[in-house]
Amino acid sequence: MIETVRKHIIEVQAFSSTNKEEIENFRIKYLGKKGLLNDFFAEFKNVPNEQKKEFGQVINTLKNAAQEKVDSLKEAIESSTETKGVYGDLSRPGEVIPLGSRHPISIVKNKIIDIFLRIGFNVSEGPEIEDDWHNFTALNLPEYHPARDMQDTFFIQTNPDVLLRTHTSSVQVRYMENNKPPIRTISPGRVYRNEAISARSHCFFHQVEGLYVDKGVSFADLKQTLQYFTTEMFGKSKIRLRPSYFPFTEPSAEVDVYWGLETEADYRITKGTGWLEIGGCGMVDPNVLKNCGIDPEEYSGFAFGVGIDRIAMLLHQIPDIRMFSENDIRFLEQFKSVL
Ligand code: DAH
């Protein structure tokens, strides 16, 4: 008899379950009214006197073991359902969510926007599919003007009035048509040119156009604004404006920033001169103001255009413009840590 009870003790100690029903059945089997323990207690009177002490001890051990087992299994279930709650175990390790990265063109665009927002410019946009007026004619480039050849244009179907904009200067026109001075706006966007694709040029790329129109805006304002921009963008404050020609500005200039000649890369990107061209600029031609409904007698303005792709290539030492549009994840992922 004592041996039977000992076997039950081992069985009780080995029992384990996370199932409420199973645990309850276990409890009834040992501790219930008609359970084994009551049977054993009832058996007590039939045990010979010299064994009574030992028998009493083992059935007490069995009773305690069964009670403890039931208590601890129940508690384990309760504590696990408590932490699970509605959302499950809140202390479990999280699942890794793969993080994307911002495109280098967007990174540079956002940086340029941020720099100009700080000095009171707003951001404006226009359509990539343009008409002749906004891309050419209003910008002092009438039909048959030779300067139209400066940019090879993609026309949509055979209609010469519907085209892919060749520059963001078209947004200048739209903005002036719809807003009265004072105007301070920058217009970032994608532009298209029918050019052979190579490491240095693509048939689409990105520009930021700047426009400032108010009473008494001068060339000195233009130069100061560009110098502020290069200082904030590149940490370089030395610039020069080289006389140039654009039909929509008079006078016109090309903007160079002094990059320096400290490293071998500086020699390479500046072709040994130390100077780097970053865009075009000038005072808005009075004809353009007139075309957009602004009186050139009362107002003057400056404009500039810079290429985003070139700046991104420069800042991140990207050797080939085609990399921007190849969607190679190994290239794009490198910009994960950049804002
Ligand atoms: N639209 C010119 C281009 O695409 C860039 C440019 C030059 C814009 C001078 C301007 C400007 O606003 O004043 O090459």
Side-chain angles (χ1 to χ4, degrees):
M1 193 51 135
I2 288 176
E3 270 318 296
T4 318
V5 180
R6 285 218 167 94
K7 272 186 199 148
H8 278 294
I9 293 174
I10 292 168
E11 210 174 284
V12 163
Q13 282 168 343
F15 178 75
S16 178
S17 172
T18 51
N19 182 309
K20 267 190 181 163
E21 213 174 303
E22 266 176 40
I23 297 168
E24 181 58 8
N25 289 340
F26 172 86
R27 191 193 65 78
I28 292 168
K29 177 178 169 189
Y30 286 99
L31 302 163
K33 257 195 185 138
K34 294 177 183 165
L36 280 170
L37 269 155
N38 277 346
D39 291 351
F40 290 136
F41 280 121
E43 203 61 36
F44 193 74
K45 58 181 188 300
N46 302 327
V47 173
N49 271 349
E50 66 276 16
Q51 285 181 18
K52 274 208 160 66
K53 189 177 170 198
E54 200 186 341
F55 186 70
Q57 276 171 353
V58 286
I59 52 175
N60 264 326
T61 308
L62 177 62
K63 184 185 168 197
N64 290 340
Q67 191 61 57
E68 270 169 31
K69 183 59 86 175
V70 170
D71 291 348
S72 72
L73 290 177
K74 276 188 178 166
E75 200 189 300
I77 287 183
E78 259 157 41
S79 63
S80 75
T81 42
E82 238 168 57
T83 45
K84 266 187 191 150
V86 188
Y87 302 107
D89 178 4
L90 292 176
S91 65
R92 73 193 187 282
E95 283 165 30
V96 180
I97 301 167
L99 270 190
S101 53
R102 217 177 271 289
H103 194 282
I105 295 288
S106 297
I107 294 170
V108 170
K109 180 184 83 176
N110 290 344
K111 198 168 170 196
I112 297 173
I113 289 175
D114 179 60
I115 289 169
F116 282 102
L117 288 186
R118 275 184 259 151
I119 53 167
F121 280 70
N122 66 10
V123 178
S124 53
E125 283 182 340
E128 291 179 17
I129 300 174
E130 258 305 358
D131 51 37
D132 180 282
W133 170 256
H134 292 97
N135 195 78
F136 292 127
T137 307
L139 287 164
N140 217 16
L141 276 145
E143 213 185 339
Y144 304 120
H145 191 292
R148 283 196 180 201
D149 292 342
M150 281 165 77
Q151 304 162 357
D152 288 316
T153 310
F154 282 119
F155 292 95
I156 291 185
Q157 295 172 339
T158 50
N159 186 346
D161 195 38
V162 187
L163 49 93
L164 294 176
R165 67 180 177 193
T166 58
H167 52 187
T168 43
S169 302
S170 55
V171 190
Q172 273 191 35
V173 178
R174 288 187 178 271
Y175 199 86
M176 285 191 277
E177 281 174 344
N178 295 309
N179 296 276
K180 293 267 149 283
I183 288 168
R184 266 175 294 181
T185 190
I186 52 163
S187 324
R190 182 174 283 179
V191 301
Y192 302 82
R193 285 183 202 175
N194 191 3
E195 271 174 31
I197 298 171
S198 71
R200 313 274 332 149
S201 72
H202 211 296
C203 59
F204 66 84
F205 53 98
H206 305 81
Q207 291 184 329
V208 175
E209 189 80 8
L211 176 69
Y212 183 10
V213 182
D214 202 352
K215 284 179 184 153
V217 175
S218 71
F219 202 82
D221 295 325
L222 168 60
K223 189 163 184 184
Q224 183 64 51
T225 304
L226 291 169
Q227 193 194 30
Y228 159 77
F229 170 66
T230 61
T231 309
E232 296 297 309
M233 192 72 205
F234 309 111
K236 318 253 180 203
S237 56
K238 193 166 154 185
I239 61 166
R240 78 179 174 195
L241 299 180
R242 263 183 301 114
S244 184
Y245 171 74
F246 298 103
F248 28 90
T249 43
E250 182 58 37
S252 306
E254 238 130 347
V255 190
D256 293 346
V257 53
Y258 188 69
W259 199 254
L261 283 173
E262 275 157 38
T263 67
E264 213 179 301
D266 293 347
Y267 273 88
R268 188 164 30 83
I269 52 184
T270 68
K271 297 191 183 101
T273 64
W275 290 97
L276 201 74
E277 187 198 317
I278 58 158
C281 69
M283 301 305 290
V284 182
D285 194 291
N287 282 337
V288 176
L289 293 176
K290 229 182 282 164
N291 287 340
C292 301
I294 292 174
D295 180 3
E297 299 295 328
E298 197 179 351
Y299 294 103
S300 60
F302 67 68
F304 58 87
V306 294
I308 302 180
D309 307 61
R310 267 203 87 191
I311 293 177
M313 289 169 80
L314 205 61
L315 289 180
H316 298 292
Q317 299 183 13
I318 297 164
D320 191 323
I321 195 172
R322 290 171 289 199
M323 291 173 128
F324 291 132
S325 48
E326 275 166 356
N327 283 338
D328 187 332
I329 207 139
R330 293 167 301 180
F331 168 70
L332 297 172
E333 271 184 338
Q334 296 178 62
F335 300 92
K336 235 175 211 172
S337 58
V338 195
L339 281 175

